[in-house]
């Protein structure tokens, strides 16, 4: 994979698979790009149409059944009706021998549900896979961690960071949307199945609380129940070392399902453990957040994401400035670029209004049919990984004349040759639910990197353009330099980072991003030495 390909992969923070030009859905990757999530609205609209037809058919059927019921009931309510009337006697016998059988075994109900099932089966190939549900659940947990979001708040539809007694609203959706008990159960179960009890317990606790509040109100669409949530939460607490809570929840489970022998055995086991170690009755397990071995700088990375922008002291440094930039290029004389130097080492510059809204929209439209799950190099292979969640596509300038103009503009601004093999093709990235790209280097750090086998040199600069803003969150974090650049389009902004001293890791630009809600598009251009 070329140098630009790896640099462009840098931007793939919140990725989902979008599918190919032929329109085939990429199963198991819907969660990784919001353009794929938006595309999933179409089959649901078709399913709504099928359900509406089914409901209309059922309504007509129920009206007919109500008519039959009222007719027969009226005969029974008329106590003066003489059974000796031969006509009434005949109709009674006919009803009991024929009418009731026809009502009970009517094919209309099965025909209605069969039509709904057939329609669903036709749409099923375009629906998200179970892997998408898992990916979306992990994305919620990722947002929960990075932005320190409160699970109870999320269940109510609010995005609040709770630190001690302080509560901060991070995002105010235009429409408040709360989660159901089954929604919370599914998120908790995904964590539970991974053995991640740190995340499983708060989500399952919220599921239990909501299920308790609506106990007895069965919803057809729910997969879980109060008993399921209690079962999972009890074992999660046991695995976390809190035997007392596990016992209490298991006893509650038996109130609803007293014949469950497995749970009865668990109760006896927990009672025995507590009898042998009475101090565990009041013990509260301290559940550690799962460690991420490949991310040793997590605290710094998440702190910069939470800051959502450069630290205020950076604006007080005299050597940082704003200016109109032409770079002595005739191409920029009539329309200089607004330049903001935001860091010197590594050198990071933000260019405001670098592309127009129409150009940004055109780039997104050109890339969308080609979006695929972003990958990273793993030996000789390119693999999708959990620490890079997004979809990306590569665009050659032959795709559209507008891309040629954009190349000229970038070359005029940077003074770099942007044509292959001196630069890689443009990469467009779309981020999905909780998408991100954890800290990494754009350039190769090992002589054995596949980058060197291309004989095109190492990367020396990154030019990135934000193609859309976001409603909340989002940042490119330079963890060693301890600052971050927010995702703001103004209406569309670009920035350049240059690795001035590739031998000094502290001078390298490590970037990471984290988004919530709304689609975030960006475009990368990579430079080679």
């Amino acid at each position: 994979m070329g140098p630009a390909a790896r640099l462009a992969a840098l931007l793939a923070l919140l990725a989902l698979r979008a599918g190919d030009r032929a329109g085939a859905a990429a199963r198991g990757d819907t969660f990784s790009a919001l353009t794929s999530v938006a595309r999933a609205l179409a089959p649901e609209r078709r399913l709504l149409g099928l359900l509406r037809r089914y409901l209309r058919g059922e309504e007509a059927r129920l009206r007919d059944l109500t008519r039959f019921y009222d007719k027969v009931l009226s005969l029974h309510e008329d106590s003066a009706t003489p059974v000796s009337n031969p006509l009434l006697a005949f109709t009674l016998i006919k009803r009991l021998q024929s009418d009731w059988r026809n009502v009970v075994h009517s094919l209309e109900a099965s025909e209605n549900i069969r039509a709904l099932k057939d329609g669903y089966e036709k749409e099923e190939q375009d629906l998200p896979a179970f892997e998408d549900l898992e990916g979306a659940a992990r994305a919620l947990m990722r947002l929960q961690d990075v932005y320190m979001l409160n699970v109870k708040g999320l269940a109510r539809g609010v995005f609040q960071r709770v630190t001690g007694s302080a509560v901060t609203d991070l995002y105010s959706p235009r429409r408040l949307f709360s989660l159901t008990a089954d929604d919370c159960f599914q998120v908790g179960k995904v964590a539970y199945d991974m053995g991640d009890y740190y995340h499983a317990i708060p989500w399952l606790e919220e599921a239990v609380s909501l299920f308790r509040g609506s106990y007895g109100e069965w919803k057809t669409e729910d997969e879980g129940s109060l008993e399921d949530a209690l079962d999972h939460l009890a074992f999660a607490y046991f695995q976390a070392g809190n035997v007392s809570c596990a016992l209490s929840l298991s006893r509650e489970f038996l109130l609803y399902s007293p014949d469950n022998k497995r749970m009865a055995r668990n109760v006896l086991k927990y009672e025995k453990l507590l009898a042998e170690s009475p101090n565990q009755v009041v013990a509260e397990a301290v559940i550690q957040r799962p460690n991420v071995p490949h991310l040793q700088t997590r605290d710094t990375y998440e702190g910069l994401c939470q800051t959502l922008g450069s630290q205020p002291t950076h604006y007080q440094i005299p050597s940082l400035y704003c200016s109109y930039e032409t770079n002595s290029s005739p191409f920029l004389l009539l329309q200089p670029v607004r330049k903001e130097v935001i860091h010197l080492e590594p050198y990071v510059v933000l260019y405001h209004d670098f592309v127009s809204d129409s150009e940004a929209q055109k780039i997104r439209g050109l890339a969308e049919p080609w979006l695929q799950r972003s990958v990273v190099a793993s030996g000789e292979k390119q693999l999708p990984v959990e620490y890079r969640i997004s979809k990306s596509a590569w665009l050659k300038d032959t795709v559209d004349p507008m891309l040629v103009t954009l190349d000229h503009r970038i070359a005029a601004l940077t003074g770099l040759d942007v044509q292959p093999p001196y630069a890689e093709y443009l990469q467009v990235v779309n981020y999905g639910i909780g998408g991100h790209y954890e800290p990494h280097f754009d350039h190769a750090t090992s002589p054995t990197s596949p980058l060197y086998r291309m004989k095109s040199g190492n990367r020396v600069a990154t030019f990135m353009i934000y193609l859309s803003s976001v409603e909340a969150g989002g940042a490119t974090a330079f963890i060693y330099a301890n600052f971050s650049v927010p995702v703001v389009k103004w209406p569309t902004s670009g920035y350049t980072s240059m690795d001035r001293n590739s031998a000094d890791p502290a001078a390298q630009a490590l970037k990471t991003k984290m988004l919530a809600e709304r689609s975030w598009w960006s475009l990368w251009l990579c430079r080679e030495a």
Side-chain angles (χ1 to χ4, degrees):
M1 164 168 146
R6 294 212 32 203
L7 174 57
L10 176 83
L11 230 144
L13 302 172
L14 304 167
L16 307 166
R17 281 186 69 185
D20 57 23
R21 180 174 286 277
R27 304 301 302 277
D29 272 321
T30 301
F31 72 96
S32 62
L34 287 190
T35 184
S36 302
V37 176
R39 192 176 293 122
L41 287 171
E44 184 167 51
R45 289 193 187 99
R46 294 193 290 270
L47 289 174
L48 280 174
L50 292 170
L51 184 58
R52 183 172 182 80
R53 287 194 290 273
Y54 167 76
L55 290 173
R56 286 175 172 172
E58 284 296 282
E59 287 169 354
R61 185 176 72 88
L62 291 175
R63 282 196 299 271
D64 189 51
L65 290 176
T66 301
R67 176 200 52 77
F68 176 77
Y69 171 83
D70 290 339
K71 181 184 77 170
V72 176
L73 180 65
S74 66
L75 294 174
H76 282 262
E77 290 177 340
D78 187 359
S79 57
T81 300
V83 179
S84 58
N85 184 325
L87 295 178
L88 291 174
F90 169 78
T91 57
L92 171 62
I93 293 172
K94 176 181 176 294
R95 285 199 309 275
L96 295 174
Q97 197 284 324
S98 174
D99 294 3
W100 276 100
R101 185 178 66 250
N102 291 337
V103 166
V104 172
H105 297 289
S106 170
L107 293 177
E108 190 175 359
S110 58
E111 287 172 354
N112 286 345
I113 194 64
R114 184 69 260 170
L116 180 62
K117 288 181 177 178
D118 288 345
Y120 174 81
E121 289 170 0
K122 290 178 181 178
E123 298 292 340
E124 198 168 10
Q125 63 180 354
D126 294 327
L127 303 181
F130 179 71
E131 290 79 3
D132 290 308
L133 176 60
E134 290 183 318
R138 288 195 298 269
L140 285 182
M141 297 176 220
R142 190 178 305 121
L143 294 173
Q144 171 192 346
D145 289 340
V146 171
Y147 294 111
M148 302 173 66
L149 299 177
N150 177 264
V151 171
K152 283 190 173 295
L154 284 173
R156 299 196 310 271
V158 296
F159 294 75
Q160 293 179 329
R161 178 189 299 142
V162 179
T163 52
S165 59
V167 178
T168 306
D169 288 325
L170 297 183
Y171 169 52
S172 299
R174 285 166 290 185
R175 177 187 174 190
L176 203 62
F177 182 84
S178 58
L179 299 179
T180 66
D182 193 60
D183 293 335
C184 295
F185 173 70
Q186 292 299 331
V187 177
K189 188 175 183 298
V190 168
Y192 176 95
D193 291 340
M194 296 189 301
D196 176 7
Y197 304 114
Y198 174 87
H199 290 103
I201 287 175
W203 284 101
L204 291 173
E205 281 183 333
E206 191 61 24
V208 166
S209 177
L210 293 172
F211 273 129
R212 283 172 179 156
S214 60
Y215 189 74
E217 300 176 11
W218 172 254
K219 296 182 178 65
T220 305
E221 68 271 21
D222 285 356
E223 184 171 327
S225 64
L226 175 57
E227 291 91 330
D228 291 328
L230 287 169
D231 189 1
H232 285 77
L233 182 57
F235 190 73
Y237 265 122
F238 171 69
Q239 289 294 94
N242 195 328
V243 181
S244 179
C245 279
L247 175 61
S248 176
L249 292 163
S250 299
R251 285 172 173 168
E252 182 181 353
F253 178 98
L254 289 176
L255 293 176
Y256 303 106
S257 184
D259 298 328
N260 191 296
K261 295 180 179 179
R262 176 180 58 82
M263 190 60 72
R265 289 194 299 269
N266 285 349
V267 167
L268 294 175
K269 174 182 177 180
Y270 300 151
E271 289 176 339
K272 182 179 179 181
L273 288 172
L274 290 175
E276 293 172 351
S277 304
N279 60 314
Q280 290 196 42
V281 174
V282 294
E284 291 188 6
V286 178
I287 309 170
Q288 298 294 327
R289 178 179 167 187
N291 187 32
V292 184
H294 62 269
L295 181 52
Q296 304 302 324
T297 53
R298 182 172 63 188
D299 291 343
T300 303
Y301 148 64
E302 293 182 353
L304 290 171
C305 288
Q306 293 165 17
T307 305
L308 304 182
S310 300
Q311 284 64 38
T313 54
H314 291 157
Y315 297 113
Q316 301 168 8
I317 302 174
S319 56
L320 303 182
Y321 62 93
C322 296
S323 65
Y324 283 100
E325 181 69 38
T326 65
N327 202 25
S328 302
S329 170
F331 198 84
L332 299 176
L333 284 178
L334 295 179
Q335 189 176 1
V337 177
R338 294 192 294 166
K339 172 182 176 180
E340 178 187 357
V341 179
I342 57 178
H343 207 271
L344 297 177
E345 195 65 44
Y347 186 63
V348 180
V349 178
L350 188 65
Y351 300 107
H352 297 257
D353 301 330
F354 187 76
V355 299
S356 67
D357 281 339
S358 60
E359 287 175 322
Q361 184 176 356
K362 181 67 173 291
I363 293 170
R364 296 197 299 267
L366 291 171
E368 186 170 350
W370 303 100
L371 289 172
Q372 293 186 1
R373 175 69 182 270
S374 300
V375 295
V376 299
S378 178
E380 298 295 324
K381 299 180 179 179
Q382 301 289 315
L383 301 174
V385 291
E386 185 66 18
Y387 59 85
R388 186 187 183 190
I389 302 297
S390 63
K391 282 186 176 180
S392 53
W394 295 92
L395 293 182
K396 297 182 179 180
D397 58 10
T398 54
V399 172
D400 191 275
M402 186 269 293
L403 298 180
V404 177
T405 302
L406 179 61
D407 277 350
H408 290 163
R409 194 181 309 156
I410 296 172
L413 181 64
T414 62
L416 298 171
D417 189 338
V418 302
Q419 296 302 311
Y422 303 105
E424 295 159 74
Y425 296 119
L426 300 176
Q427 185 184 33
V428 184
V429 182
N430 183 222
Y431 301 97
I433 308 170
H436 68 148
Y437 197 166
E438 288 179 353
H440 60 283
F441 289 103
D442 282 3
H443 65 279
T445 58
S446 169
T448 61
S449 169
L451 191 67
Y452 287 100
R453 287 198 292 273
M454 299 180 64
K455 302 184 185 302
S456 56
N458 204 352
R459 292 173 176 157
V460 297
T462 300
F463 194 93
M464 187 176 83
I465 302 172
Y466 292 140
L467 297 179
S468 67
S469 298
V470 295
E471 293 188 9
T476 299
F478 296 80
I479 58 174
Y480 289 154
N482 194 35
F483 78 100
S484 54
V485 181
V487 181
V488 182
K489 194 159 62 80
W490 292 319
T492 304
S493 304
Y495 79 76
T496 300
S497 70
M498 291 194 176
D499 298 330
R500 295 292 184 83
N501 182 1
S502 60
D504 180 8
Q508 304 304 324
L510 265 75
K511 305 169 185 68
T512 183
K513 304 103 190 157
M514 178 63 64
L515 278 229
E517 295 303 306
R518 197 169 168 183
S519 174
W520 174 23
W521 291 77
S522 50
L523 179 151
W524 283 81
L525 179 62
C526 196
R527 315 297 183 190
E528 300 180 8

